[in-house]
Amino acid sequence: MFETPITKTEKKYGDDKIKSRAALIRIAGVTGILANVLFAAIKFVIGTAANSIAITSDAVNNLTDASSSIITLAGLKLSQKPADRKHPLGYGRIEYISGLIVAAIVLITGVEFFQTSVGRIADPEPVDFSVLQLVLLGVFVVGKLILGRLDKEFGLRSKSGALVASGTDARMDALVSTLTIITAVITMATGIVIDGYAGVAMSLFIMFNGISLIKDTVNSIIGSRADKKVVDEVKADILGIEPIRGAYDMIIHNYGPATQLGTLNLEMPDYTTVEQAYMAMEQAQRKVYQKHHIYFTFGLYSVNTYDDDVISARDQVTAIVKGTEGAISIHAFNYDKNNKLIRFDIIVDFGVHDFMEFRNKLIRKLSESYPGFTFDINVDLDYA
């Protein structure tokens, strides 16, 4: 049975996801370097022979892609340095720094070729294409599409944003090369030289990619919202473990693609013993780490299951909260009828900027149904 490079690599390393991830990135990186250097060399020869700034700029763009792969591999190597006293969580974020360097190179390349292309528009020079040259460019389009698919699949499987971005960039390069072919055909058919204009279009495209890569990398460094699919899967896995009834306040801290820590508060029935709670949390911790390579620590909320007054109050308060603009949900509900105290945590969306004003507004609404009660409300953002 035929096995893809991905399945072969994962089979080789088994459950060792860190080594498997590194191997996938190395395979994709080396393939990208060799392919892009070959593409760049042949395109440079064609561009020089045809006196085409568009093809020459496309060749340099391929060299940029090759250098991106080199920097990605270097970043991977440095990020694998073992943790030490100064960096107890390792060096995983170096991958983001290497990604930022790659993005800057892409942007600078685009700016330089924009200047060259504008000069060609102001002072056009004749271009001369052959059918063989155009056929070779067509082959490069197919090659770039294959390389783009390879990088994307390897990137998704290894959770490497740099590789996914490289895959997107490769597919966009195929589009740029297609534009170059169209430009050449128009020139051959009409004699009108639009090479400089095509170069401007491609340089703008390169700059756009560079800016997009910078934004994505900076977001990773600053800290971005956890992937919704991962969040949903983690919650589903945990809620399938008895006696867990709810999972709230998830925060995932990213210290590199291969090093993530998480915190999560769990709800369990009030009759749960300490031993049962410990066993459930230990099982949840192990299950999530094996599947997502995220190490979670947990807090614990108790859910009242036997007092009808508490259950009724929780349902009524939940209904009032849901009718409040900006509110998403409540949890950690506690109702003390004797001392006239209601406590709970509330999740709000990012449209709520003044927590104190929001809390006071909600307390006024709740006081209409529970006069004389004191309300202890903790407001949390919807982090995940």
Side-chain angles (χ1 to χ4, degrees):
M1 181 178 177
F2 175 74
E3 288 185 314
T4 66
I6 292 178
T7 55
K8 283 184 178 180
T9 303
E10 292 180 339
K11 185 177 180 180
K12 177 180 178 180
Y13 291 100
D15 293 332
D16 194 334
K17 293 185 178 181
I18 294 179
K19 288 185 178 180
S20 176
R21 176 181 182 273
L24 289 173
I25 294 175
R26 281 195 296 269
I27 293 171
V30 171
T31 302
I33 292 169
L34 296 176
N36 280 304
V37 168
L38 177 63
F39 292 165
I42 299 177
K43 283 183 181 179
F44 187 78
V45 171
I46 294 175
T48 302
N51 194 30
S52 170
I53 187 66
I55 296 179
T56 304
S57 65
D58 199 11
V60 175
N61 187 39
N62 285 145
L63 280 180
T64 302
D65 292 341
S67 66
S68 299
S69 296
I70 293 172
I71 294 172
T72 298
L73 291 175
L76 173 66
K77 181 68 175 178
L78 292 172
S79 71
Q80 291 178 317
K81 289 178 61 178
D84 52 39
R85 185 178 295 276
K86 192 173 182 179
H87 300 93
L89 293 170
Y91 291 80
R93 284 180 175 169
I94 286 180
E95 284 195 45
Y96 300 141
I97 297 174
S98 65
L100 194 59
I101 295 172
V102 169
I105 292 173
V106 172
L107 180 59
I108 292 170
T109 300
V111 171
E112 290 179 347
F113 273 98
F114 178 81
Q115 295 172 340
T116 304
S117 298
V118 169
R120 181 60 68 91
I121 293 174
D123 185 20
E125 297 180 13
V127 293
D128 183 23
F129 294 98
S130 69
V131 175
L132 176 60
Q133 291 169 344
L134 295 182
V135 170
L136 286 174
L137 288 177
V139 172
F140 294 143
V141 170
V142 176
K144 268 294 187 178
L145 288 173
I146 294 173
L147 187 62
R149 181 175 179 180
L150 176 72
D151 282 347
K152 182 180 179 181
E153 289 184 358
F154 274 60
L156 290 174
R157 191 63 68 94
S158 63
K159 296 182 180 179
S160 170
L163 276 184
V164 173
S166 294
T168 301
D169 187 46
R171 292 194 299 276
M172 294 300 100
D173 285 347
L175 180 62
V176 169
S177 295
T178 302
L179 177 62
T180 302
I181 295 172
I182 294 172
T183 301
V185 171
I186 292 174
T187 300
M188 292 173 67
T190 65
I192 300 174
V193 179
I194 58 173
D195 188 57
Y197 295 98
V200 167
M202 281 182 275
S203 62
L204 289 174
F205 174 77
I206 294 170
M207 285 189 284
F208 174 79
N209 273 348
I211 293 171
S212 296
L213 289 172
I214 288 174
K215 288 172 62 177
D216 291 343
T217 308
V218 169
N219 282 337
S220 296
I221 294 173
I222 293 174
S224 55
R225 190 180 183 87
D227 183 85
K228 186 178 185 303
K229 181 181 178 182
V230 173
V231 171
D232 291 343
E233 288 182 358
V234 168
K235 285 187 176 181
D237 290 339
I238 289 176
L239 292 176
I241 299 172
E242 286 291 337
I244 299 172
R245 295 290 182 268
Y248 305 97
D249 308 323
M250 184 187 298
I251 300 177
I252 297 177
H253 309 272
N254 191 324
Y255 293 91
T259 306
Q260 298 183 84
L261 305 180
T263 56
L264 185 63
N265 290 320
L266 305 178
E267 277 190 346
M268 299 187 195
D270 48 13
Y271 55 77
T272 305
T273 66
V274 173
E275 181 181 8
Q276 289 172 332
Y278 168 77
M279 294 300 293
M281 288 190 284
E282 196 275 337
Q283 183 182 348
Q285 189 179 68
R286 184 174 60 252
K287 185 175 184 179
V288 172
Y289 185 80
Q290 289 175 346
K291 185 174 181 180
H292 300 284
H293 209 72
I294 305 173
Y295 185 86
F296 269 94
T297 55
F298 301 109
L300 181 61
Y301 295 137
S302 175
V303 181
N304 190 295
T305 58
Y306 62 86
D307 192 319
D308 291 338
D309 288 339
V310 175
I311 296 172
S312 175
R314 183 172 63 228
D315 292 342
Q316 187 174 9
V317 169
T318 299
I320 294 172
V321 168
K322 286 187 175 180
T324 304
E325 184 179 359
I328 297 176
S329 64
I330 70 169
H331 56 277
F333 184 84
N334 183 276
Y335 177 76
D336 187 344
K337 185 176 181 179
N338 293 330
N339 293 308
K340 288 196 169 185
L341 174 65
I342 294 178
R343 295 192 187 98
F344 60 87
D345 288 6
I346 181 170
I347 303 295
V348 299
D349 61 39
F350 285 88
V352 177
H353 301 294
D354 190 332
F355 285 5
M356 184 65 70
E357 180 183 351
F358 178 87
R359 185 185 292 109
N360 291 337
K361 178 182 177 181
L362 181 57
I363 288 174
R364 286 194 295 270
K365 291 178 66 175
L366 291 169
S367 296
E368 295 175 3
S369 300
Y370 295 92
F373 271 73
T374 299
F375 299 92
D376 183 0
I377 303 173
N378 181 46
V379 181
D380 290 324
L381 285 170
D382 182 24
Y383 294 109

